[in-house]
Amino acid sequence: MDKLIIEGGVKLKGEVTVSGAKNAVLPILAATLLTDDTCIIKGVPNLRDTNTMLKILRSLGKNAELDKGIIRVEAGKFTNFIADYKLVSTMRASFCVLGPLLGKLKKAKVSLPGGCVIGVRPVDLHIKGLKALGTDISIEGGYVVAKATNLKGAHMYLGGAYGSSVLATDNVMMAAVLAKGKTVIESAACEPEVTNLADFLIKMGAKIKGHGTPIIEIEGVKHLHGAEHGIIPDRIEAGTLMIASLITHGDILIKNVFAAHQGAVIDKLEEAGAKVIKTDSSLRLRSKGRLRPVNITTLPYPGFPTDMQAQMMSLMSVTLGISVITEKIYPDRFMHVSELDRMGARIQREGPHAIVEGVKELSGAPVMASDLRASAGLVLAGLAARGKTAISRIYHLERGYENIEEKLRNLGARIWREKE
Ligand code: EPZ
């Protein structure tokens, strides 16, 4: 395994282009199961997770290849309805093949994803929504076994204790598009990635209204045809790069980003004292001097994204003053705290809160990545720290950030790989 070495202290300057959104491409690839026609997906990031989803599609009988950012899913019928544990356990998002398998084949056997370091990751809302559509579901040997003689539209409430669910909304939507009659999803997730999926389904012939709002209405159709679609820019990668500019006191122009998807993050960074210059497809960020501490609470979109929590914590770790970070989506999503503390950060956990007392400077140290976004937080801390930081287990980072070392190196960062 490789580790990432970062020699901190360089002010990052220049231009960088954001890749396509991991969390958009995964459900959109799953949606290609809803048709026997060819589908072309453009703007696809070459990530570990993208390749895992391609393996899952192939294991189900689909012929799909990624070449220079374009995925072509060949026309052809498929009959396998079993998504096996080996693949699903490596990537939780693969659970979103459940809805399209039910929509297309009216049966599915998908391994339960299991938990991960950021939390238990239940699927009760997925099951509730699919049952509402008339699916018989049982849990057998670690698998969700589902069959639906006929899927019927239904009116359902899909909110849970932590608010709306992105992939549960996706799964239900992808089954409902081929159900008989009308489905209404209340407390639907509003994330831009859900909208990107709905737009693809509409191009395939689905009848969907209200996507991007908490109430989605779907009129079932008999058949969906192939379509061509583009993946939206990755708003979490963009947010991570925004913080890279600020934490190094640099000046980065970030291209291929929709400012409209960044409302909560831009609001907090401006509150902290950042200068943010927006155009319709780029953001330029620099700090106007010392940043101020801000308090963050993660919420479903359009609230502050939980996937930006670790990155924001790194920034607050070197912002003098006290900031309180409250994690309302995954209350245990604090694996990065102990690693940042190894670098000299002063962070105290109190249940779903982390109290950060900013220090003047972090010092480089050997640290360990635990999940995708924690790894991003550690990279940001390493860019700001005095001396060398060595981040191990960087396969976590490779899941969701395309060519991140090259992008940072082109901005002046001293960053390279070494064998563990
Ligand atoms: C998506 O996961 C993202 N992954 C996550 O990004 C992201 O953190 C999360 O949404 C929240 O924004 C993909 O899109 C592939 P949820 P998802 O269902 O859909 C609870 C990353 O780093 N819940 O919206 O699995 C759940 O425990 C990843 O890119 C239930 O209680 O998340 C959580 O507390 C990490 N029951 C909250 O809802 C359910 O049936 C939101 O989870 C489902 C979820």
Side-chain angles (χ1 to χ4, degrees):
M1 281 192 281
D2 290 351
K3 59 186 174 183
L4 212 49
I5 313 292
I6 301 172
E7 197 149 5
V10 177
K11 291 182 174 14
L12 300 189
K13 293 190 185 277
E15 291 188 9
V16 63
T17 300
V18 174
S19 300
K22 164 182 91 80
N23 291 350
V25 72
L26 299 176
I28 283 172
L29 284 177
T32 63
L33 294 165
L34 288 164
T35 179
D36 294 332
D37 296 352
T38 301
C39 290
I40 308 280
I41 313 296
K42 295 183 285 186
V44 176
N46 183 11
L47 300 168
R48 191 182 284 267
D49 278 7
T50 312
N51 292 306
T52 301
M53 186 53 91
L54 287 173
K55 281 187 204 144
I56 289 168
L57 290 184
R58 291 179 198 126
S59 73
L60 292 167
K62 279 282 185 183
N63 185 350
E65 290 303 331
L66 168 60
D67 181 32
K68 299 190 192 68
I70 296 175
I71 288 181
R72 187 183 169 83
V73 183
E74 293 300 344
K77 284 191 178 312
F78 72 97
T79 53
N80 183 13
F81 60 92
I82 301 173
D84 76 18
Y85 177 70
K86 318 200 275 306
L87 282 169
V88 174
S89 58
T90 62
M91 182 181 73
R92 171 191 163 69
S94 10
F95 197 67
C96 72
V97 300
L98 178 60
L101 285 173
L102 273 173
K104 186 74 171 62
L105 303 179
K106 305 295 184 279
K107 59 184 174 183
K109 182 176 175 186
V110 179
S111 165
L112 279 165
C116 64
V117 288
I118 67 175
V120 175
R121 312 295 295 266
V123 292
D124 56 308
L125 297 173
H126 299 245
I127 290 173
K128 174 184 176 184
L130 295 172
K131 275 188 171 170
L133 296 176
T135 311
D136 294 326
I137 291 190
S138 60
I139 309 289
E140 294 165 29
Y143 281 78
V144 170
V145 181
K147 57 181 180 305
T149 35
N150 61 346
L151 284 174
K152 253 167 73 49
H155 189 126
M156 65 187 76
Y157 178 78
L158 221 44
Y162 299 94
S164 51
S165 164
V166 173
L167 289 179
T169 302
D170 293 349
N171 257 333
V172 171
M173 199 160 58
M174 290 191 278
V177 290
L178 288 175
K180 284 193 186 68
K182 181 174 181 179
T183 294
V184 177
I185 304 174
E186 280 189 47
S187 190
C190 305
E191 274 70 1
E193 295 76 24
V194 175
T195 303
N196 200 201
L197 169 64
D199 290 340
F200 177 49
L201 293 168
I202 290 166
K203 280 186 183 173
M204 295 169 81
K207 292 195 170 72
I208 302 173
K209 285 192 304 193
H211 40 302
T213 80
I215 312 270
I216 297 181
E217 294 185 12
I218 299 155
E219 199 59 54
V221 295
K222 282 204 173 13
H223 168 79
L224 293 179
H225 50 73
E228 206 169 295
H229 197 48
I231 299 295
I232 56 171
D234 193 317
R235 61 192 167 95
I236 304 301
E237 181 190 2
T240 306
L241 292 164
M242 289 157 72
I243 292 183
S245 185
L246 298 176
I247 205 168
T248 62
H249 305 292
D251 181 352
I252 300 179
L253 175 64
I254 303 164
K255 297 160 79 174
N256 190 36
V257 53
F258 296 155
H261 291 170
Q262 303 289 346
V265 174
I266 289 173
D267 176 60
K268 276 297 167 184
L269 295 180
E270 287 180 330
E271 183 189 330
K275 177 150 186 54
V276 183
I277 302 163
K278 300 174 211 170
T279 69
D280 58 1
S281 65
S282 73
L283 290 170
R284 183 168 173 190
L285 259 99
R286 56 174 185 274
S287 47
K288 295 180 288 189
R290 184 175 291 285
L291 291 178
R292 296 183 294 275
V294 293
N295 297 331
I296 302 286
T297 298
T298 64
L299 289 168
Y301 191 88
F304 191 92
T306 174
D307 292 349
M308 282 295 300
Q309 183 253 101
Q311 299 91 313
M312 199 65 191
M313 187 180 288
S314 294
L315 181 63
M316 290 296 109
S317 299
V318 287
T319 301
L320 293 182
I322 301 286
S323 55
V324 179
I325 295 179
T326 302
E327 175 53 68
K328 285 239 170 126
I329 308 294
Y330 299 110
D332 291 332
R333 192 175 198 171
F334 287 122
M335 295 291 285
H336 39 289
V337 169
S338 47
E339 300 307 304
L340 288 170
D341 284 351
R342 287 176 48 74
M343 298 175 72
R346 285 208 206 112
I347 307 166
Q348 199 181 323
R349 247 205 90 178
E350 294 293 334
H353 310 285
I355 296 137
V356 183
E357 181 193 346
V359 295
K360 261 177 81 51
E361 192 176 53
L362 296 175
S363 53
V367 290
M368 192 181 291
S370 54
D371 67 276
L372 168 56
R373 307 305 175 182
S375 331
L378 294 176
V379 169
L380 293 169
L383 291 169
R386 177 176 31 78
K388 264 188 194 172
T389 298
I391 305 173
S392 58
R393 300 190 179 178
I394 55 164
Y395 53 85
H396 290 293
L397 195 65
E398 292 158 348
R399 295 190 49 183
Y401 288 90
E402 186 182 44
N403 306 329
I404 190 69
E405 293 141 73
E406 191 187 325
K407 287 175 178 171
L408 292 174
R409 207 175 294 127
N410 292 342
L411 293 167
R414 290 188 294 254
I415 181 170
W416 64 91
R417 268 175 199 250
E418 284 180 5
K419 285 283 166 234
E420 279 277 20

